[in-house]
Amino acid sequence: MATTTLTDTRLTDSPLAGRRRVRQRWGNPWLYLPLTGALFIMLVPFLWMLSGSFKPEADIRKVPPGLVPTDPTTANYAELFDNLDFVGMFTNSLLVALAVTAGNLLFCSMLGYALAKLEFRGRKAVFTLVLATLMVPGLVTFVPLYVLTTNLGLTDSLLGLILPFLAGPFGVFLMRQFIGSLPDELIDAARIDGCGEIAIFRRIILPMTKPALATLGIITFLGSWNNFLWPLVVAQNEDQYTLPVGLALVSSGQDFTRYGVLLAGAAVVLVPVLVVFLLFQRHFVAGIATTGLK
């Protein structure tokens, strides 16, 4: 017994056992080298944007370009806030993005629940139609959607920026796949207890779909916040402009583009998206990892 104990202790304290414990905790160390390189490649455009926002215009156009500004300045940010109704456009962007995100979370989850758990005639046909609309480019439906919005009198208003995007086929597909992986026994037990479909959806489905909702919320918020073409066409008054539209107008002159102002605006626009992702990144990763496994 003593010999066995001594042998086990030596094996536990051996360098091989130590490396095994490190590998179990941190994984393969050699895997971090290509991952670190890929991370640096992905960060270069953002570092260039942040560095360029503090450069004078001549420094940005210098050849060869440099990553570190030789003469840092905040003139680009000052010009951005002086020539742009930043508060008003930021408020418009935030209202539109939050409204579109809330609408997608509600309607897409309701449609996903109906397509995944409710039995009704034509359910497969509706889901096939949803999949078919995923294959249609957005530019194909742009003109009909604009004509419909104009006929409803929603141009030059925030409603015209919100209503066409309150639900999307990707969100319906995402929620349907996630809700379809939930056990049917919970829903059947709730129905036996006398719960209606609305109560089941509110008390059982929504709490269990937080990862998928966080994923859909981040993707929808990002798309709505960065949307440029639709607000440019629909918002015909400066009071209804969003930040991407205002940024494009203030940074573009008659003869050339002021890249310093453009990069400063891009850095400012990036902040809310980064905050949203950092707050919900755990749910985002969980939603991506578990959606569609069934």
Side-chain angles (χ1 to χ4, degrees):
M1 176 65 74
T3 304
T4 304
T5 304
L6 180 61
T7 303
D8 293 342
T9 303
R10 289 177 179 176
L11 290 175
T12 304
D13 296 336
S14 65
L16 181 61
R19 289 195 296 268
R20 187 180 295 111
R21 288 196 300 269
V22 172
R23 179 170 298 180
Q24 290 176 352
R25 181 174 182 181
W26 300 101
N28 188 359
W30 295 105
L31 185 61
Y32 287 91
L33 293 178
L35 291 179
T36 303
L39 176 62
F40 177 76
I41 294 175
M42 294 180 62
L43 287 178
V44 167
F46 297 97
L47 295 176
W48 173 261
M49 174 193 67
L50 187 61
S51 173
S53 66
F54 292 100
K55 291 181 179 180
E57 192 68 27
D59 198 4
I60 297 176
R61 298 174 180 269
K62 184 176 62 175
V63 179
L67 183 61
V68 180
T70 56
D71 187 17
T73 178
T74 59
N76 295 323
Y77 289 93
E79 185 176 356
L80 175 69
F81 289 106
D82 290 340
N83 299 334
L84 186 70
D85 182 14
F86 183 82
V87 176
M89 294 181 182
F90 181 87
T91 303
N92 292 339
S93 293
L94 188 61
L95 289 177
V96 172
L98 291 178
V100 171
T101 302
N104 275 265
L105 293 180
L106 176 62
F107 297 126
C108 291
S109 59
M110 293 175 67
L111 291 170
Y113 170 63
L115 293 175
K117 298 299 183 181
L118 299 183
E119 296 290 341
F120 58 91
R121 182 177 300 178
R123 185 180 69 167
K124 292 184 179 180
V126 173
F127 183 62
T128 303
L129 182 62
V130 172
L131 294 179
T133 55
L134 281 173
M135 305 176 188
V136 179
L139 292 178
V140 174
T141 60
F142 188 89
V143 174
L145 188 60
Y146 176 75
V147 173
L148 179 61
T149 303
T150 303
N151 292 336
L152 293 175
L154 297 178
T155 55
D156 200 19
S157 67
L158 293 182
L159 284 178
L161 303 179
I162 296 173
L163 288 180
F165 305 101
L166 283 181
F170 173 77
V172 176
F173 172 76
L174 179 70
M175 297 307 300
R176 189 262 183 190
Q177 293 299 103
F178 191 92
I179 296 175
S181 64
L182 300 179
D184 296 332
E185 290 76 11
L186 292 175
I187 299 176
D188 295 336
R191 288 171 179 165
I192 293 174
D193 291 339
C195 287
E197 297 301 332
I198 296 179
I200 293 174
F201 175 76
R202 181 170 57 89
R203 298 179 181 179
I204 298 178
I205 299 300
L206 286 182
M208 296 181 67
T209 56
K210 288 181 179 180
L213 290 175
T215 303
L216 179 60
I218 292 176
I219 295 175
T220 305
F221 184 88
L222 177 61
S224 179
W225 182 265
N226 292 330
N227 194 4
F228 171 74
L229 186 58
W230 183 257
L232 178 65
V233 175
V234 174
Q236 302 171 359
N237 191 340
E238 188 174 347
D239 295 337
Q240 310 298 331
Y241 284 168
T242 57
L243 267 181
V245 176
L247 175 61
L249 295 179
V250 77
S251 62
S252 299
Q254 295 181 351
D255 300 326
F256 66 98
T257 301
R258 291 173 290 181
Y259 291 107
V261 179
L262 184 62
L263 293 175
V268 173
V269 171
L270 180 66
V271 173
V273 177
L274 185 62
V275 171
V276 170
F277 177 77
L278 291 178
L279 290 177
F280 298 100
Q281 62 174 335
R282 180 170 60 88
H283 298 291
F284 177 77
V285 174
I288 290 295
T290 57
T291 299
L293 293 181
K294 185 176 178 180

